[in-house]
Amino acid sequence: MNKRLNRTRKLFRRNNSDALYQNLISVARHSTQVATEVKKEKWLDWCSEVNAFTPVRKIWTWFNKVSGKRSTVRVSHPDPPAEAHRLAQEFANRSKSDNLSLQARQRQRVLYPIRMTMVTAACNISDDTDALYTMDELNVALSKPKDTAPGADNISYSMLKHMGDPAKQEYLKLINKTHVERVRPQLWRQQDTQPVLKPKEENAYRPIALISCTAKVAERMVLNRPKWKVGNLHQRLYAFREGVGTHECITDLMATINEEQALVIFLDLEKAFELASNSLLSCLQESQRSPAVLGSGVHSGPGS
């Protein structure tokens, strides 16, 4: 309808006459009517798909799109490399073993050679997952991801999906070579770190590492084998499980309560992995053993 309206406009501009003007008004009215009906039909179709499991973010995204609102693009840091380096250095300082207690550091030194011996022995044990990767595994890994920001090599997922069979064969050879020699290409180790402003905090940035898509596809192929080997994760684990989210955790909690009176405590630990207290974790571990606790499921992430 837009193309038809544009053609009528051009025709009217070339030959300005009353007949063409009346034709232009008629086409414009018809285009507006058709567009309104199409939008209404599309809106009703979308509303019929909304249910209790539809993510709230998806609903608000659709509302904003219908109302004509566009998401505000936040300006990145004025000096991204320096800010990214500062954030990485801050995380490295927090992650140092020097921050641990003297007893923990001594325990680490005692356990380190034992752990390395166990890791070396495990690497020397042959397993069926040590076989070379196949083209089917590569195609499965390429079928799922959508285009995201590429890494330092500027190779996107769509480029990998649409490369020909000869290129896929060479790519598969590279992945199998890294698998056999246990050495990653130097380019796969590089990352483009960008500081992104946090949504609800001023002057607070989160480092986002853009890794090569070729490396992430290879990592996905490697991950699929342990997932097949280990099998399904524990049913009380709500994070890191495909297709499972916060609503399953809430549903299980409500089913456990079963309309009875209960006291439920939700804990959201800020920077939990970096600043968690050993004594607090010990208390939580002891409380999970108590029958008064309704659930031992943990969900790490937004909405937890």
Side-chain angles (χ1 to χ4, degrees):
M1 296 307 299
N2 289 335
K3 289 181 180 179
R4 181 185 175 188
L5 181 60
N6 290 332
R7 286 197 301 265
T8 308
R9 280 202 190 101
K10 292 179 181 178
L11 182 61
F12 172 71
R13 289 170 184 172
R14 287 197 298 265
N15 303 306
N16 193 344
S17 64
D18 293 339
L20 291 178
Y21 179 69
Q22 294 298 328
N23 185 34
L24 176 60
I25 294 178
S26 176
V27 171
R29 289 176 178 174
H30 183 60
S31 299
T32 303
Q33 181 181 0
V34 171
T36 303
E37 293 177 355
V38 170
K39 289 180 180 178
K40 181 179 180 180
E41 183 180 358
K42 180 66 176 178
W43 172 253
L44 294 176
D45 289 342
W46 183 83
C47 289
S48 63
E49 297 175 358
V50 176
N51 52 45
F53 300 101
T54 304
V56 178
R57 181 178 180 182
K58 182 179 180 180
I59 297 176
W60 277 111
T61 301
W62 185 260
F63 281 162
N64 292 332
K65 185 182 296 185
V66 171
S67 60
K69 295 181 181 179
R70 295 185 179 182
S71 58
T72 305
V73 179
R74 294 181 177 271
V75 180
S76 182
H77 195 274
D79 190 0
E83 180 64 13
H85 178 74
R86 185 191 70 80
L87 292 172
Q89 189 63 41
E90 181 181 355
F91 179 77
N93 293 334
R94 289 183 176 182
S95 304
K96 285 183 178 179
S97 299
D98 297 339
N99 297 330
L100 300 174
S101 63
L102 177 60
Q103 182 181 3
R105 295 199 302 270
Q106 292 175 347
R107 187 63 177 168
Q108 276 188 334
R109 285 192 290 268
V110 173
L111 293 177
Y112 180 77
I114 302 175
R115 291 172 175 171
M116 292 305 299
T117 302
M118 295 177 63
V119 170
T120 304
C123 291
N124 293 329
I125 298 175
S126 60
D127 192 86
D128 48 4
T129 57
D130 294 334
L132 296 179
Y133 292 94
T134 63
M135 183 59 66
D136 291 337
E137 291 178 287
L138 176 58
N139 290 330
V140 170
L142 288 174
S143 63
K144 292 185 178 181
K146 298 180 180 180
D147 258 343
T148 56
D153 54 6
N154 291 324
I155 298 178
S156 62
Y157 285 124
S158 59
M159 296 170 63
L160 296 175
K161 286 181 181 179
H162 294 92
M163 63 182 177
D165 292 337
K168 285 186 179 181
Q169 291 289 348
E170 294 300 322
Y171 182 33
L172 184 61
K173 289 181 182 178
L174 174 62
I175 295 175
N176 282 324
K177 184 176 181 180
T178 62
H179 179 62
V180 174
E181 298 181 1
R182 299 176 184 175
V183 178
R184 302 179 68 194
Q186 183 65 29
L187 188 61
W188 289 8
R189 304 178 187 178
Q190 299 178 4
Q191 64 183 29
D192 181 13
T193 305
Q194 295 290 335
V196 177
L197 191 63
K198 294 183 178 180
K200 298 181 180 180
E201 300 183 36
E202 295 183 1
N203 300 324
Y205 292 85
R206 177 184 291 107
I208 302 297
L210 304 179
I211 308 174
S212 171
C213 292
T214 57
K216 289 192 286 188
V217 170
E219 291 174 355
R220 187 172 291 106
M221 294 173 63
V222 174
L223 177 62
N224 286 337
R225 289 193 174 183
K227 289 171 64 176
W228 166 79
K229 188 75 174 180
V230 174
N232 296 329
L233 298 177
H234 195 276
Q235 61 179 359
R236 288 296 186 183
L237 183 66
Y238 299 99
F240 314 111
R241 288 175 59 194
E242 187 175 359
V244 178
T246 310
H247 52 274
E248 278 86 6
C249 180
I250 300 298
T251 302
D252 289 349
L253 176 63
M254 298 303 295
T256 304
I257 296 175
N258 195 19
E259 299 183 358
E260 296 181 0
Q261 292 186 355
L263 175 63
V264 182
I265 300 176
F266 295 92
L267 295 179
D268 185 6
L269 303 179
E270 183 180 3
K271 303 185 185 305
F273 292 100
E274 304 165 18
L275 304 178
S277 169
N278 292 334
S279 58
L280 176 60
L281 294 178
S282 300
C283 293
L284 289 175
Q285 186 176 7
E286 291 298 328
S287 64
Q288 286 184 352
R289 298 173 183 172
S290 173
V293 177
L294 296 176
S296 60
V298 176
H299 183 96
S300 176
S304 59

